Amino acid sequence: MSTDTEDAIAVVKSQIGALRPKTGIILGSGLGPFVDSVKDAVTISYADLPGFPEPGVGGHAGRLVLGRVAGSPVAVMQGRAHYYESGRADAMKTPVRTLAGLGCDTLIVTNAAGSLNREAGPGSVMVLTDHISFTGVSPLFGEPGDDRFVDLSAAYDPDIRAALHAQADSQGIPLHDGVYMWFCGPHFETPAEIRAAGILGASAVGMSTVPEVILGRHAGLKIGALSIITNLAAGMSETGLSHAQTMTNAAVAAVAVQALLTGYLAGRGA
Ligand code: HPA
């Protein structure tokens, strides 16, 4: 474990008393308000946590919020670092390992994504079944030890997916399944890249999540992932793509994702 991780864990433990989070959650674009539902919240700025990022994207704060949602203990990251900010695929290494070191056994990752599935248009929600990396990099580059050869054959936990689907059904929220393809960004994809992604089996594209999933599996965490669809992918609609559009449409579907997360956490219990 790196010193940053040990130091970050110590900072958090010194502030949360007996609370032991079971679920780590990384909030993507538009989902920041989810932290308002954390009860008895302890909020720690990333600036006070060694190895945590200072997120540079509009719509991302840099805070770790610990407490309970629906009675279940959580550690919520409001804001993440993206590969495209630094060119470092391991930018989320310390945060993910800190969540695991605090006792979380599960990591729920959320993001905003473009859809290749016209049935899952802007404002809809997708639970990820798998991913494709189109970046050529790994957050585990340079990692020593045989456990770096992480098995990703069931990276997206089937039980978590089933629990999210059960929540979606009971709350009447349409929930699509999909394969997420990670592009490096910060530019959006070209229409030709999106056609290629479709041929390769992608249902959604985005610029995050995959590094955290790989780091999470390496740390032994069970993974669930939800995408807020903010747009049809490049070349699939008349409208061009922009970050402003991402933020506007993310806010629409964020309500549904928050309801899914809250219901899922209620099922996890104390
Ligand atoms: N591509 C990549 N990332 C995204 C998109 C997209 O179309 N929409 C939101 N994040």
Side-chain angles (χ1 to χ4, degrees):
M1 205 182 281
S2 75
T3 310
D4 272 354
T5 304
E6 286 165 7
D7 291 351
I9 292 169
V11 171
V12 176
K13 282 193 170 168
S14 74
Q15 298 193 34
I16 59 173
L19 185 81
R20 287 292 169 267
K22 294 202 319 194
T23 309
I25 301 174
I26 300 174
L27 298 177
S29 297
L31 275 169
F34 180 73
V35 297
D36 297 338
S37 65
V38 180
K39 297 281 178 319
D40 301 324
V42 173
T43 300
I44 308 173
S45 165
Y46 289 173
D48 296 327
L49 293 168
F52 273 58
E54 267 307 320
V57 183
H60 287 284
R63 299 187 293 178
L64 180 65
V65 180
L66 302 109
R68 290 179 191 275
V69 173
S72 198
V74 293
V76 186
M77 289 190 64
Q78 193 183 28
R80 59 152 57 87
H82 303 81
Y83 173 49
Y84 61 74
E85 292 169 64
S86 61
R88 295 194 51 159
D90 67 351
M92 289 291 282
K93 182 161 72 179
T94 298
V96 170
R97 291 180 181 175
T98 298
L99 295 176
L102 288 170
C104 293
D105 61 14
T106 296
L107 177 64
I108 306 292
V109 190
T110 64
N111 61 50
S115 180
L116 279 78
N117 174 2
R118 289 188 186 278
E119 319 261 285
S124 52
V125 184
M126 199 176 272
V127 60
L128 303 189
T129 59
D130 207 343
H131 75 231
I132 301 169
S133 172
F134 215 49
T135 57
V137 295
S138 169
L140 298 176
F141 280 170
E143 190 68 23
D146 282 355
D147 66 354
R148 68 186 141 175
F149 302 109
V150 180
D151 180 6
L152 297 177
S153 41
Y156 297 81
D157 189 81
D159 294 336
I160 297 177
R161 279 160 44 200
L164 290 168
H165 268 295
Q167 273 306 315
D169 289 348
S170 75
Q171 298 189 43
I173 297 170
L175 182 62
H176 302 268
D177 280 328
V179 173
Y180 178 91
M181 189 153 172
W182 177 35
F183 283 82
C184 72
H187 52 276
F188 287 102
E189 301 73 31
T190 65
E193 286 166 346
I194 294 303
R195 288 194 297 277
I199 291 166
L200 292 175
S203 349
V205 290
M207 308 176 193
S208 68
T209 298
V210 168
E212 295 121 80
V213 170
I214 295 170
L215 288 163
R217 289 305 298 140
H218 183 249
L221 298 169
K222 285 186 256 176
I223 306 286
L226 290 166
S227 288
I228 288 183
I229 301 301
T230 54
N231 55 280
L232 288 173
M236 292 179 62
S237 73
E238 298 303 312
T239 34
L241 304 184
S242 70
H243 186 62
Q245 175 197 46
T246 298
M247 294 311 297
T248 306
N249 289 340
V252 176
V255 178
V257 172
Q258 292 188 44
L260 286 179
L261 288 176
T262 304
Y264 167 75
L265 291 167
R268 289 219 79 200

